[in-house]
């Protein structure tokens, strides 16, 4: 089942009960970079939760850019791995995008147990202080 609403709102992708919930927040209808990030992370980690958030609109970049992202990945693959190792795994999965279109990537990488303890929440990104906003 796919639940969708207008652009700028999350698209929710549901898998059968007991598997995972994947959410993608898309800034525009055509989001090739966000789509590639989602596909690669879903393939690499078989996550219970996967959220790809294009935060480019909060930065000093042209409208419609796909340069600044936050990803939330909840996976058993992170069990017994320290945070830095989890980040390295995500970075490795997105090598191509990080070498090209992605300028900044914020990573929230949790185990299912950590996700449950957090109540399924993660911190908001701080406002951009770069470019002309200083």
């Amino acid at each position: 089942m796919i639940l969708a609403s207008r652009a700028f709102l999350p698209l929710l992708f549901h898998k059968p009960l007991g598997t995972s919930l994947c959410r993608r927040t898309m800034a525009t209808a055509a989001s090739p970079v966000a789509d590639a990030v989602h596909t690669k992370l879903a393939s690499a980690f078989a996550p219970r939760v996967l959220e790809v958030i294009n935060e480019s609109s909060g930065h000093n970049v042209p409208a419609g850019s796909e340069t600044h992202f936050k990803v939330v990945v909840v996976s058993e693959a992170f069990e017994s791995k320290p945070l830095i190792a989890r980040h390295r795994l995500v970075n490795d999965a997105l090598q191509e995008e990080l070498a090209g279109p992605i300028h900044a990537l914020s990573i929230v990488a949790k185990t299912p147990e950590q996700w449950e303890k957090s109540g399924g929440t993660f911190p908001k990104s701080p406002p951009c202080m770069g470019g002309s906003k200083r």
Side-chain angles (χ1 to χ4, degrees), residues 22-33:
C22 298
R23 288 179 270 183
R24 241 186 314 192
T25 302
M26 301 171 68
T28 63
S31 301
V33 178

Side-chain angles (χ1 to χ4, degrees), residues 1-112:
M1 170 174 64
I2 298 177
L3 301 174
S5 32
R6 299 178 182 203
F8 301 105
L9 296 177
L11 293 179
L12 302 178
F13 296 87
H14 292 272
K15 291 187 178 181
L17 188 63
T19 56
S20 66
L21 164 66
C22 298
R23 288 179 270 183
R24 241 186 314 192
T25 302
M26 301 171 68
T28 63
S31 301
V33 178
D35 291 344
V37 169
H38 186 274
T39 298
K40 288 182 179 183
L41 294 178
S43 175
F45 301 107
R48 288 195 184 179
V49 177
L50 174 56
E51 189 161 351
V52 176
I53 305 164
N54 183 351
E55 298 184 325
S56 302
S57 64
H59 296 273
N60 190 21
V61 295
S65 293
E66 289 189 282
T67 55
H68 296 70
F69 285 90
K70 173 182 272 187
V71 296
V72 179
V73 186
V74 178
S75 175
E76 286 88 359
F78 300 138
E79 296 287 348
S80 75
K81 290 186 174 46
L83 187 59
I84 188 71
R86 298 172 189 186
H87 283 225
R88 286 179 180 147
L89 288 169
V90 171
N91 285 332
D92 287 347
L94 301 176
Q95 285 180 52
E96 186 178 340
E97 289 73 20
L98 290 169
I102 296 180
H103 167 75
L105 180 66
S106 172
I107 301 170
V108 177
K110 295 184 176 193
T111 65

